[in-house]
Amino acid sequence: MNAKRIIILLAFILPTTLLSQVITVSPTLPTASSSVVVTFDATKASNQSLLNYTGEVYAHTGVKVEGSDKWQYVIESWGNNTTQPKLTRTGTNTYTLTISPSIREFYSVPSDIKITQLCFVFRSSDGSKQTEDIFYTVYEQGLTVGFTNPSQTKPIYELNDNFNITLEANNATNLKLLIDGAEVQSTAETSITYNYTASTYGKHWFKAIATDGTTTVSDSVYILVRTSITEEDLPSGLKLGVNIVDENTVTLVLNDPPALKEYVYIIGSFNNWLPDEQYYMKRTPDGKYYWITVTNLSPDTEYAFQFLIDGYLRIADPYTNKTLDPNDQYIPSTTYPNLLAYPSESTNGIASVFSTNPENYTWQVTKFTPPSNEKLVIYELHIRDFVSESYIKTVKDTLNYLERLGINAIELMPISEFEGNDSWGYNPSFYFTTDKAYGKPNDYKAFIDDCHSRGIAVIMDMVLNHSYGQSPLVQMYSTSDGTTLGTPTSDNPWYNVTSPNTSYSWGYDFNHESPSTQQLVDSITSYWLTEYKVDGFRFDFTKGFTNTAGDGWAYDASRIAILKRMANKIWNVNPNAYVILEHFTDNSEEKELANYGMMVWGNMNYNYNQATMGYVSNSNISNITYTIRGWDNPNLVGYMESHDEERLMYNNLTSGSTANPNHNVTQLPIALKRVELAANFFIPIPGPKMIWQFGELGYDVSIEYNGRTGKKPQHWEYYDVAERKRLYQIFSHLNKLKKEYEVFSTVNFDYSLSGAQKYIKLDGADMDVVIVGNFDVNYANYTIDFPSTGKWYEYYTRDSIDLASTSKTINMAPAEYRLYTSKKIDRDNFVGIDEIINSKNTITTTWPNPSNGKFQILFNLSKPSNIRVEVFNMLGQTVYSKTESGYSGNNTIDIKLPSNTSNGIYIYKLYGGEISSSGKISVLK
């Protein structure tokens, strides 16, 4: 067999040998006609979510066939426990699955189609826990042969190592073993075990030849007996990872801080993923760095590679700016065009990518000064759930909408490479690369560039409390045997073996007291500030940035020192960069950090939601102010909603107060009106604020829909619903007021934010503001003391009052609010609200739509009227009619179509008094 043929066969057998410890299959060389028993060991899976799992485990399984790299003949749909096969538990972490009477019959594959691989994902009964994709080779019928040892998982040996070479065949009458071209054993049996001593350096090939008398087949594997490592100082000026020397040359550098590794090779597309002496990395005399210069590269080619450490551990470059992942096959080409194919037949684990001529980006905005903290209005969004095409380019297309909303900063939930393609992003694996599921690097840069051109800052949600097992930093010093991800060991320079936090823990906890971790953190923040020009970071769970044992609540001087050191390094790179902490510790610590210049998240979801639902006894929102916390600086990022909380409108509609039938909070127009009220007691309060995506449209899908972190539906059509668009306009005006008038950044302000009637008083240099609101569900007379007599202007209605006395009693409807200014504000600059405020007779929406035949029509009337509703099918036949009297103002009318109404599209018409309108309703039972 010539060398080229040998390489092809090696590539073919690698997936089975690399994953052989995750599953074992009996017989070892199964054919399509075989009945096989698959044994799954959860301790060997790369994704160890099933480790020590006590529930039932099922197989999502299919096959690959000749001519296709996609799963085929999959047994039923994901998560179907009635039809997908259940595994038999044989131990705490071991299971078996019997595939019978044959592979072909089990998967119902036609006889004329060649099966090449078995495909598995093992999952929990609810599908929340699952393994990675696992494949096993199916051999052709008749004569076959293959090695069971040595494994290509660890092909590197020491001089004079001794081991058994083992091979098996199906239907062979003669089986031979050749070593470096010389025959060493021949037998009429179907297996060979041969004891071998690696007595010479270099690469050695083992070849198996099987015959049945008329046909001959073969298989090959290799070992590499390594020589002594070369020690040489690291050339000056190199950074960790890939260093481009010229268009044909790179130097790769890997850090081994504790100097514990014995040797490292690089494997990749430039050497067919086969280690040899040419790609043997040099080591510095102190043992802390491995490096190699690779030549003869092409500037027009992307190269994939891994570090092969100590002969068994394959990891991607921790500092890579692009990865290849088996999950890449699920990324649409429209999202990431011309993405390299993952080398599934050559290696396992994540691979890193480089090019000596990377695609450049020309920045249009080279210098950008972000908005000051006190004027900051942040819009937090998750790309996957914000746009229907999970693509940063699509988010860029929404910037007109966000600019009109008046926000001046966008906070992107984590975009650095995370495990899988469908995630909130708090399971990071690579810190120097954007996740390909959302687009190419230059797509992200173009988005940031466009934001800057509009005066919008971009804040990156950064997860440095923990990472998970795919991180090469975890794997380098862990229990991994090369086929599993492993858990950190005590010699890991970046991670704690166990998290010191006794209440909250995710993944593997970073040791922020370690110099290696601090160097990593500084490299990460500097990279994003310079390479992508982000304007700062929101750091996830910073209360975990400590090795102090406990729940993290108490004042912790060591944690404060860690965070101040980190912030100083960030400000050395960009003095204007935002440092925002999700901290939630004792106020004394948050105050110290805020006074130092960092901003701190302020979760006010519960209190604001109690207020919007109409439960005023629990609606004290005073903690939205930094002054009540005793802080000197307005560095509290207050929010009513974030990615982590239930949506205000969902609770309004499902749990709002019904105490007043005429102000029923569970009705959509009233629920939205109460969020308008809350917004007026949120945005204008001095200090930075944050809006969660679609909160400005009254997003009402529960956070628990499709699982807490599962994909949520977008409802961009909400913008076309009058009451929802009105809410958007209210947010827009408040945001623009905050940005354009200094009074909304004043340090002199007073408030009463508990109870049913609330107020805010802002004392500005050239204008004062008074905001009053009724959070009760009933009318109330509210007496408020204004700062001065004279004329005051109500912003929304453009009415004015002339006060002879500073005391004013106002009769307020439930959810009514007023924003008074001591100087008239020219609202002509703020278009879009008058047509909403002045509209009187408007059909707003049907809800829900689609419906199961029961739905509401929501509308507004300027005076009492009788209302008639008729519903027609698409043939014009009346299927429902209803007449009611006494309607006025915001209303809903309940519709229940006959039980025999079939699925389809229907036309409704509502008319009476001054109103006449129609629309479509979809019925889906």
Side-chain angles (χ1 to χ4, degrees), residues 562-572 579 596 598:
I562 286 168
L563 291 169
K564 286 182 177 179
R565 188 211 67 82
M566 180 184 74
N568 287 336
K569 290 291 186 179
I570 290 171
W571 292 327
N572 284 342
V579 179
Y596 196 72
M598 293 175 247

Side-chain angles (χ1 to χ4, degrees), residues 838-843 859-868 887-889 910-917:
N838 294 329
S839 64
K840 298 299 184 181
N841 299 310
T842 308
I843 290 292
F859 58 96
N860 181 285
L861 292 172
S862 60
K863 60 183 180 181
S865 302
N866 294 333
I867 291 298
R868 180 169 178 79
Y887 282 98
S888 180
L910 186 147
Y911 53 93
E914 300 172 326
I915 193 168
S916 177
S917 186

Side-chain angles (χ1 to χ4, degrees), residues 767-786:
M767 181 174 71
D768 296 334
V769 174
V770 174
I771 305 172
V772 294
N774 180 19
F775 284 83
D776 205 341
V777 295
N778 296 298
Y779 278 85
N781 288 321
Y782 188 16
T783 300
I784 178 75
D785 288 327
F786 281 74

Side-chain angles (χ1 to χ4, degrees), residues 285-303:
D286 62 5
K288 293 185 178 182
Y289 297 93
Y290 289 86
W291 64 278
I292 188 172
T293 297
V294 183
T295 59
N296 298 319
L297 299 170
S298 169
D300 300 320
T301 302
E302 281 192 309
Y303 295 94

Side-chain angles (χ1 to χ4, degrees), residues 37-71:
V37 176
V38 178
T39 299
F40 163 54
D41 185 348
T43 68
K44 302 295 185 182
S46 295
N47 182 339
Q48 296 198 313
S49 62
L50 288 173
L51 188 66
N52 300 321
Y53 175 64
T54 58
E56 295 177 337
V57 174
Y58 291 79
H60 180 69
T61 181
V63 297
K64 289 186 180 181
V65 300
E66 189 173 43
S68 174
D69 194 44
K70 304 295 184 183
W71 287 39

